[in-house]
Amino acid sequence: MNTSPSTPPSGAEQLAQGFALHVEQWLRRQGCDTAQIDTLRHAAQAVSLATSDGHVCVALAEVAASMAGAISVDALRSTLRASGVVGTPAAPGSLPLILDEQDRLYLHRYFNYEQRLARRLMRAASAPPCAVSEVARMQLNALFEANAQRTGGAADWQKLAAALALRQHLTVISGGPGTGKTTTVVNLLACLIAQDPGCRIALAAPTGKAAARMLEALRARAEHLPDHIRERLPSASFTIHRLLGVSPAGGFIHHAGNPLAIDALVVDEASMLDLSLATQLLEAVSDAARIILLGDKDQLSAVESGAVFSELSADPGLSVACRHDLAEGCGLSAAQITPPAASQPSALQDAAVWFNRNFRFAADSGIGRLAGDINHARAEEAIDWLREGQDASVRWLDDGGMAPGEATLRELASGYAPYLEAVRRDPADHAAITRAFDAFRVLCAVREGPRGVLAINELMTRQAREHLGLAPAGGRDGASAWYPGRPVMVLRNDPLLQLFNGDIGIALPAAGGVAGDDAGSTHELLVWFAQAGGGFRAVAPARLPSHQTAYAMTVHKAQGSEFNDVLVLLPGQRSRVVTRELLYTAVTRARQSVAIASGVEVLRAAIASSTVRHGGLLSRLREAATPAG
């Protein structure tokens, strides 16, 4: 990208330029000619920019097409391989770039992550089946007995997924909200505890909000379990960073050389895992332990590089031996167990299960129907149905202006009115205020612009101050913006304060609650964070890590959260970031109703376009599955 003094390079561009300069210096020391240096510099910058954009690698054809001079892929490949700075999967060495047999160009670090993750996954997938005790089988059949009436004798994929996780060291369960993932895990954990009452189980998720929701959901769905089993369920959940432990040097305390002392790891919202974090997490799990990953393959992938969960979920195929064992354990015939066709073939077999039946809302309900249309790229059907306005749970605000229109502004104001009224009525009632805030959320596709997160938060700040009878803030979003009821989202992990990226707190007076060490005068504002085990913890605003006002949040930040009602605000113009996966993720954050504010062309383009993440994990899995020699 060309830059000028008036358009300084972004952080990603600066990193890419720095890496390209590093490669150039390496080449100059080797005495390479100018043409070769220019080609390698461009390729190095391209692959670095690709990783900043969420890709793990870049296709060689894209690099060739982006170069100023005409160059074929064959010529580019030859230049890279002859440069002395590009390794291969068979001989990566310590070279800065890696080119695989499928013409994918990697930064060495990301290739290394992919290779390590693939090897760890294949060790888990190829391990001999776990022994399943008779007591665990009895528990499995008892806990899923109620499902038999609903399935009418057909295969119960919730039960099969639990049986698979009892048999295997690795299980990947993909399903949208309301498809029964949590119920399945509760019953699975009950089976593991019945088989081994001392089983050490860890619950984790990428964000604090997702971890808290996971624990709450497990507790809510465990009431049917016998007391002696329910009492042994995990009593805590962790962010992945907290579970692994951040060392003073910046790495993790737990890793392959110092694994977690657990027998089973359950990771919720695993679609948010990026390649680096997934690799470090799974390497910290001993080969003897079970790994259960829960997520939604159709959701947005991680903000950072990789689309790990969708690649792991690609092939739900089951071997003949696995189907036989599952049939025997679940009281079925093997012929009844017919997994869906793979979205992509994978060497990772006997690991993935897709949940396609929704129990929260029927497929023909408003949210269910819209989510299905989005997922299957049925843009015209979705738009025609939205125009009819027959379902009150789904509304389309045909608002395509550069700034939000009147209908969107009314939706915004009415959505937060109960929250602001709760703050005005009793600012000491933290529970009521938090419930009111969590009932509604504005989800934006972008941060910048008049329909982005920053502008909507500024707008809502003005409205909130007016509603509460406060003077306007002196600044856009700085220290002067603190007022009772200001919601803030943490943007950076702070292990010392036990605050993590994505955590949301609300500024309220110090009086009227247990404020801990941060309590001050009755006029002092503290930021109150709901705790996973109940109650609230207060932190002084000055102690908070990087944060921002949180009336509106990006769809990415909303992953792992659910709200009763959601307003989805798309930009006024088509954007490459507004894709089918983003819209599906936004819509499925709603429990009761969703309103989409968008022009028709932007909405149509979003449903029609899919997010593409370049990566080679499936290739690395095939390599890891192939015996050496």
Side-chain angles (χ1 to χ4, degrees), residues 207-209 489-493 500-504 553 557:
T207 68
K209 185 73 171 180
M489 175 186 288
V490 173
L491 301 177
R492 180 175 54 80
N493 294 338
F500 299 92
N501 189 359
D503 287 353
I504 290 180
M553 57 201 298
K557 288 288 189 182

Side-chain angles (χ1 to χ4, degrees), residues 464-544:
R465 284 182 170 276
E466 182 178 344
H467 185 98
L468 297 170
L470 303 171
R476 175 174 175 140
D477 201 13
S480 62
W482 288 107
Y483 59 91
R486 181 191 177 193
V488 293
M489 175 186 288
V490 173
L491 301 177
R492 180 175 54 80
N493 294 338
D494 189 328
L496 186 63
L497 287 176
Q498 290 298 296
L499 293 175
F500 299 92
N501 189 359
D503 287 353
I504 290 180
I506 299 173
L508 295 167
V514 179
D517 294 337
D518 286 310
S521 69
T522 56
H523 300 292
E524 183 181 358
L525 288 177
L526 298 175
V527 183
W528 298 81
F529 293 87
Q531 300 299 285
F536 293 82
R537 183 167 62 93
V539 178
R543 296 185 63 194
L544 287 179

Side-chain angles (χ1 to χ4, degrees), residues 354-388:
W354 296 354
F355 286 177
N356 292 318
R357 182 174 179 183
N358 199 295
F359 301 97
R360 180 176 304 163
F361 36 74
D364 59 352
S365 72
I367 296 173
R369 175 170 175 172
L370 180 58
D373 282 346
I374 294 168
N375 231 353
H376 293 92
R378 296 190 291 256
E380 297 309 320
E381 292 92 328
I383 290 170
D384 289 344
W385 179 67
L386 287 170
R387 278 198 176 107
E388 294 174 3

Side-chain angles (χ1 to χ4, degrees), residues 299-423:
Q299 275 193 35
L300 282 169
S301 297
V303 176
E304 305 296 332
S305 295
V308 172
F309 190 81
S310 64
E311 291 176 291
L312 300 189
S313 307
D315 190 348
L318 300 171
S319 66
V320 172
C322 185
R323 288 204 306 272
H324 177 272
D325 289 350
L326 296 182
E328 184 178 2
C330 295
L332 298 167
S333 69
Q336 289 178 281
I337 303 175
T338 55
S343 57
Q344 297 182 75
S346 172
L348 196 66
Q349 293 290 296
D350 298 343
V353 178
W354 296 354
F355 286 177
N356 292 318
R357 182 174 179 183
N358 199 295
F359 301 97
R360 180 176 304 163
F361 36 74
D364 59 352
S365 72
I367 296 173
R369 175 170 175 172
L370 180 58
D373 282 346
I374 294 168
N375 231 353
H376 293 92
R378 296 190 291 256
E380 297 309 320
E381 292 92 328
I383 290 170
D384 289 344
W385 179 67
L386 287 170
R387 278 198 176 107
E388 294 174 3
Q390 297 297 312
D391 195 313
S393 68
V394 176
R395 289 173 297 116
W396 174 32
L397 308 177
D398 190 355
D399 173 11
M402 294 306 295
E406 287 300 320
T408 302
L409 295 176
R410 285 195 299 271
E411 190 79 20
L412 180 65
S414 64
Y416 277 121
Y419 166 67
L420 295 175
E421 182 57 28
V423 174

Side-chain angles (χ1 to χ4, degrees), residues 586-605:
V587 166
T588 55
R589 297 310 89 204
R591 298 188 191 97
Q592 297 176 4
S593 75
V594 60
I596 300 175
S598 169
V600 64
E601 290 305 321
V602 171
L603 183 58
R604 179 181 287 115

Side-chain angles (χ1 to χ4, degrees), residues 1 12 16 54 131 153 182 194 198 209 239 241 253 259 316 354 389 391 415 437 464 471 503 547 552 610 616:
M1 179 181 294
T182 302
K209 185 73 171 180
T239 64
H241 285 79
I253 294 171
W354 296 354
D391 195 313
F437 183 70
D503 287 353
H547 57 275
S610 180

Side-chain angles (χ1 to χ4, degrees), residues 6-139:
S6 61
T7 58
S10 66
E13 289 168 337
Q14 290 177 340
L15 286 172
Q17 291 167 4
F19 176 68
L21 179 61
H22 169 71
V23 170
E24 178 182 342
Q25 291 170 341
W26 191 321
L27 291 165
R28 290 191 185 282
R29 286 195 296 269
Q30 296 182 174
C32 295
D33 60 44
T34 301
Q36 195 175 32
I37 290 173
D38 289 345
T39 298
L40 266 293
R41 184 174 57 234
H42 181 89
Q45 189 163 346
V47 69
S48 181
L49 285 171
T51 60
S52 298
D53 209 23
H55 303 289
V56 177
C57 55
V58 66
L60 216 56
E62 290 188 11
V63 179
S66 67
M67 297 189 71
I71 185 172
S72 68
V73 172
D74 289 342
L76 178 57
R77 185 190 307 114
S78 297
T79 300
L80 292 174
R81 287 179 172 170
S83 67
V85 299
V86 180
T88 66
S94 57
L95 300 175
L97 298 170
I98 305 294
L99 180 63
D100 75 1
E101 296 302 317
Q102 291 75 37
D103 283 340
R104 301 185 189 97
L105 185 64
Y106 290 83
L107 298 179
H108 186 114
R109 179 162 60 103
Y110 287 95
F111 175 82
N112 180 254
Y113 281 140
E114 224 176 49
Q115 193 173 62
R116 285 162 51 191
L117 179 59
R119 289 171 177 170
R120 177 65 187 92
L121 290 165
M122 290 310 299
R123 287 205 311 274
S126 60
C130 303
V132 182
S133 69
E134 185 59 31
V135 68
R137 293 180 189 274
M138 292 173 61
Q139 189 72 257

Side-chain angles (χ1 to χ4, degrees), residues 161-238:
L164 184 67
L166 288 172
R167 180 187 191 269
Q168 301 290 118
H169 283 84
L170 172 68
T171 308
V172 182
I173 301 175
S174 174
T179 53
K181 298 191 297 292
T182 302
T183 299
T184 300
V185 168
V186 167
N187 290 344
L188 165 63
L189 297 186
C191 293
L192 290 174
I193 292 168
Q195 178 168 278
D196 176 12
C199 183
R200 298 166 299 174
I201 301 165
L203 306 179
T207 68
K209 185 73 171 180
R213 279 192 57 249
M214 181 188 194
L215 185 62
E216 292 166 3
L218 286 175
R219 287 174 174 171
R221 289 167 174 77
E223 294 181 354
H224 66 291
L225 298 179
D227 289 345
H228 70 282
I229 288 180
R230 189 170 63 248
E231 290 168 358
R232 291 184 177 273
L233 288 172
S235 59
S237 58
F238 303 88

